[in-house]
């Protein structure tokens, strides 16, 4: 009965989920695999590859990429991804999670933000097949990762010797991006302009909502930022219905989003040795002293004064400053009091552990 077989096959094809493929490797529903994307050869002869871990749920849904170490020394996101992909919760995944813990492999090995030649990968998008190493890497990421995703989260930290209070930067005039940014529940939301050459620019052009999460400092693990990042990613996956809604209790409603109006770095008016007076997350008033720069004798002291009311969302940890160094990053808000309340709420939540997110936490 050939007619019946053909009909049966046609019916199966209609209900069969569309294939998901990355670098020629096919990942079936319910399967998870690590795929090494070939980038280039090292001058040692060895091959440089970008490792990608794909988890495909049994049921269809969004395809979310999570990337880290786009800047090779920003390693909190590597740990966020390690914890994420070990969560038993992923057994209930809908759609596809595409986890790329180390995008800038050269930088990660060299413990540097950059690629060889001090090229910044996150200024090299969309890249090209024939360009510099940075351009080729950007091109590969654009085609194999961004090109296969419907949504993305790019995990960053502050630069070397600088810490960021956990914050989400995104194009918040887009309603879906705003909804996901809210679901991340970071204390600070910034409607950030899209930087030329960034992965966010590529995603924006392709209509893919992309969140950039920033938390902690380069070359350090910051437990608070890691936990907030893990919670945030899972919150976004829940909002996308890739994961079931939180079963225990509904999170407290956060009310209207509070978005930073602008942010600015306060720079050192003089070189010297810095003493920081206020921690990250502090609510400061215009003219309030954030720190003091002095000479080694304490004879000449210059106070660093807040240029406006706001919240300190980033700061320098290295006390040795040159004139002009960026020292404090301050966000200004239309509704500053509410923003400060969110930071306080975030701090109080830091110790709460969602039992579903504990699987990957260190013991003890
Ligand atoms: Zn970065």
């Amino acid at each position: 009965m050939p007619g019946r077989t053909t009909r049966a096959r046609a019916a199966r094809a209609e209900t069969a989920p569309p294939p998901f493929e990355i670098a020629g490797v096919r990942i079936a529903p319910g399967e998870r695999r690590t795929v090494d994307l070939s980038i280039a050869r090292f001058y040692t002869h060895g091959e440089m590859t970008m490792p990608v871990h794909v988890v495909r749920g049994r049921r269809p849904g969004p395809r979310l990429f999570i990337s880290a170490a786009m800047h090779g020394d920003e390693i909190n996101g590597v740990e966020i991804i390690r914890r994420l992909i070990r969560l038993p919760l992923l057994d209930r995944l809908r759609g596809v999670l595409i986890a790329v813990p180390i995008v800038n492999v050269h930088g990660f090995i060299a413990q540097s933000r950059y690629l060889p030649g001090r090229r910044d990968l996150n200024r090299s998008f969309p890249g090209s097949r024939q360009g510099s190493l940075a351009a080729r890497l950007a091109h590969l990421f654009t085609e194999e990762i961004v090109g296969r995703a419907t949504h993305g989260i790019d995990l960053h930290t502050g630069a070397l010797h600088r810490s960021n209070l956990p914050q989400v930067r995104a194009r918040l005039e887009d309603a879906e991006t705003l909804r996901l940014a809210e679901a991340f529940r970071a204390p600070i939301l910034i409607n950030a302009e899209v930087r030329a050459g960034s992965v966010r620019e590529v995603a924006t052009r392709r209509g893919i909502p992309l969140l950039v999460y920033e938390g902690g400092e380069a070359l350090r693990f910051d437990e608070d930022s890691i936990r907030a990042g893990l919670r945030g990613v899972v919150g976004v996956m829940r909002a996308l219905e890739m994961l079931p809604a939180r079963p225990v209790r509904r999170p407290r409603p956060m009310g209207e989003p509070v978005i930073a109006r602008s942010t600015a770095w306060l720079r050192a008016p003089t070189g010297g040795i810095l003493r920081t007076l206020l921690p990250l997350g502090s609510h400061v008033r215009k003219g309030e002293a954030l720190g003091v720069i002095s000479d080694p004798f304490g004879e000449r002291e210059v106070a660093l004064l807040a240029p406006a009311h706001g919240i300190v969302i980033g700061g320098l940890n290295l006390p040795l400053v040159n004139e002009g160094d960026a020292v404090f990053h301050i966000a200004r808000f239309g509704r500053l009091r509410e923003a400060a309340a969110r930071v306080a709420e975030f701090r109080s939540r830091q110790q709460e552990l969602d039992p579903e997110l504990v699987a990957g936490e260190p013991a003890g």
Side-chain angles (χ1 to χ4, degrees):
M1 304 282 271
R4 190 177 292 173
T5 319
T6 314
R7 268 202 304 279
R9 201 177 291 146
R12 257 202 318 274
E14 263 170 42
T15 51
F20 184 82
E21 226 181 77
I22 203 157
V25 178
R26 194 169 270 222
I27 293 123
E31 197 184 7
R32 58 158 76 204
R33 286 184 83 148
T34 298
V35 180
D36 288 312
L37 304 190
S38 172
I39 305 172
R41 267 191 195 284
F42 282 113
Y43 40 64
T44 57
H45 164 85
E47 209 190 344
M48 179 170 82
T49 58
M50 187 197 301
V52 180
H53 189 79
V54 182
V55 186
R56 183 167 181 194
R58 280 173 214 289
R59 290 169 298 169
R63 300 182 299 277
L64 172 70
F65 80 78
I66 318 256
S67 53
M70 181 77 70
H71 293 131
D73 59 353
E74 300 182 1
I75 61 176
N76 274 338
V78 181
E79 174 63 4
I80 293 171
I81 290 177
R82 186 193 70 80
R83 293 187 192 184
L84 175 71
I85 63 181
R86 302 191 70 79
L87 291 178
L89 190 60
L90 289 188
D91 291 346
R92 297 158 75 188
L93 179 74
R94 276 173 189 267
V96 186
L97 175 67
I98 309 162
V100 195
I102 303 154
V103 179
N104 176 355
V105 180
H106 268 107
F108 191 73
I109 290 170
Q111 301 175 11
S112 155
R113 176 182 180 89
Y114 302 103
L115 279 157
R118 265 183 89 82
R119 285 191 195 254
D120 188 327
L121 178 58
N122 211 20
R123 306 286 179 273
S124 306
F125 281 88
S128 66
R129 213 185 290 275
Q130 306 299 331
S132 67
L133 180 62
R136 290 171 193 222
L137 188 46
H139 176 74
L140 179 74
F141 192 85
T142 301
E143 294 306 311
E144 291 290 351
I145 308 297
V146 183
R148 300 189 193 281
T150 55
H151 299 79
I153 302 176
D154 192 24
L155 305 170
H156 287 253
T157 75
L160 203 56
H161 305 307
R162 285 184 178 80
S163 283
N164 281 336
L165 185 71
Q167 53 196 264
V168 165
R169 303 177 183 178
R171 214 170 59 88
L172 301 176
E173 58 261 37
D174 175 60
E176 177 65 357
T177 307
L178 175 61
R179 184 178 79 86
L180 300 178
E182 274 286 286
F184 202 104
R185 292 168 76 83
I188 303 288
L189 271 183
I190 301 168
N191 187 19
E193 268 174 46
V194 176
R195 276 219 178 99
S198 67
V199 66
R200 205 149 67 83
E201 187 186 47
V202 165
T204 304
R205 247 190 234 145
R206 295 183 176 216
I208 295 171
L210 180 85
L211 306 182
V212 171
Y213 171 69
E214 292 265 358
E217 179 186 358
L219 295 179
R220 299 279 180 272
F221 273 171
D222 175 62
E223 185 61 25
D224 281 359
S225 300
I226 291 168
R227 283 188 187 183
L230 179 64
R231 233 177 14 226
V233 169
V234 169
V236 170
M237 291 175 76
R238 285 184 165 135
L240 287 170
E241 296 182 1
M242 294 178 77
L243 292 176
R246 212 171 173 212
V248 192
R249 61 194 155 84
R250 299 294 305 161
R252 256 170 293 167
M254 304 213 12
E256 282 287 294
V258 185
I259 299 167
R261 220 165 42 183
S262 63
T263 73
W265 280 93
L266 174 56
R267 292 182 178 275
T270 175
I273 298 170
L274 169 75
R275 305 194 306 275
T276 295
L277 302 177
L278 294 171
L280 285 190
S282 295
H283 171 181
V284 295
R285 272 155 231 297
K286 186 175 178 176
E288 192 173 345
L290 305 178
V292 177
I293 294 176
S294 79
D295 62 27
F297 313 104
E299 285 171 353
R300 211 176 136 262
E301 301 222 314
V302 179
L304 276 158
L305 305 179
H309 299 317
I311 289 177
V312 183
I313 61 165
L316 183 65
N317 296 324
L318 182 73
L320 312 178
V321 298
N322 285 309
E323 184 172 326
D325 279 355
V327 181
F328 294 106
H329 197 190
I330 296 164
R332 300 176 65 176
F333 291 85
R335 286 141 56 207
L336 180 57
R337 213 174 290 233
E338 283 171 63
R342 279 199 177 207
V343 174
E345 204 242 19
F346 170 78
R347 290 260 181 259
S348 71
R349 254 190 298 133
Q350 267 316 92
Q351 295 316 313
E352 286 175 26
L353 274 185
D354 181 337
E356 286 191 303
L357 303 190
V358 208
E361 303 269 350

